[in-house]
Amino acid sequence: MKSPHDLDAYLQGRSLEAEFIVLPGGTRTVTQAAGALGVDAERIVKSLLFLAGGQPVLIIASGTGRVDTSRLADYLKIARSEIYLASREDVLRITGYEVGAVPPVGHHPSLSTLLDPAVLKFDIVYAGGGAPDHLLRISPAVILQETRAHVVALRSDT
């Protein structure tokens, strides 16, 4: 299993600006993370792994929104029935990180990535940092550049 150390090595190797924040006891939800940091929940971003037609797709979304799998299916031009949120086991196998700790960057091989446009309205966001008690303070611009994500409105509330 990968750790914040692996993520840090990746970030330093690529000279990416990001900062780890360690929260004793960890945070398992967006609300907990936002409360611990004293920031709006929209600044917390989720890195969600879906299997779409059997292929992994990483979606980086604002913490307050839900991914509309019908919109995802339309974007990918596949049937809605072919899209599933990856299981805990699949997340660990594909990303090397456990659910709730998946970072938005640093995946080998790189994952097909889609970015919620709501994430881009902030200069800094907080994302999974490789462990439940680590968050990554990072610019959405860095995420976008590093992942080569496609910006797609996939939230059910947009």
Side-chain angles (χ1 to χ4, degrees):
M1 181 165 55
K2 291 183 182 177
S3 71
H5 176 75
D6 298 300
L7 180 57
D8 189 43
Y10 177 86
L11 295 168
Q12 288 191 30
R14 304 276 298 172
S15 299
L16 299 178
E17 279 193 45
E19 173 188 352
F20 286 96
I21 298 171
V22 180
L23 298 172
T27 57
R28 289 281 182 192
T29 68
V30 168
T31 304
Q32 288 174 344
L37 294 171
V39 300
D40 187 84
E42 280 194 60
R43 285 188 180 264
I44 308 298
V45 297
K46 304 178 281 195
S47 299
L48 303 170
L49 188 68
F50 284 82
L51 296 178
Q55 297 301 309
V57 177
L58 185 67
I59 298 179
I60 302 167
S62 170
T64 59
R66 292 186 57 86
V67 174
D68 184 331
T69 53
S70 294
R71 286 185 181 193
L72 179 57
D74 289 346
Y75 177 78
L76 296 174
K77 296 178 177 45
I78 63 173
R80 163 58 193 91
S81 61
E82 294 183 62
I83 297 176
Y84 299 94
L85 187 60
S87 68
R88 288 185 176 279
E89 295 79 14
D90 285 337
V91 170
L92 185 58
R93 178 179 53 79
I94 293 167
T95 71
Y97 295 99
E98 61 183 295
V99 169
V102 176
V105 298
H107 301 286
H108 294 293
S110 62
L111 296 169
S112 174
T113 304
L114 304 177
L115 181 72
D116 174 6
V119 173
L120 296 173
K121 70 182 181 180
F122 299 106
D123 55 343
I124 295 293
V125 294
Y126 301 87
D133 63 345
H134 281 65
L135 290 175
L136 191 63
R137 182 181 186 275
I138 190 168
S139 162
V142 169
I143 296 171
L144 185 61
Q145 177 184 347
E146 187 61 21
T147 62
R148 296 188 175 122
H150 294 267
V151 179
V152 182
L154 297 173
R155 288 176 26 170
S156 57
D157 60 340
T158 58

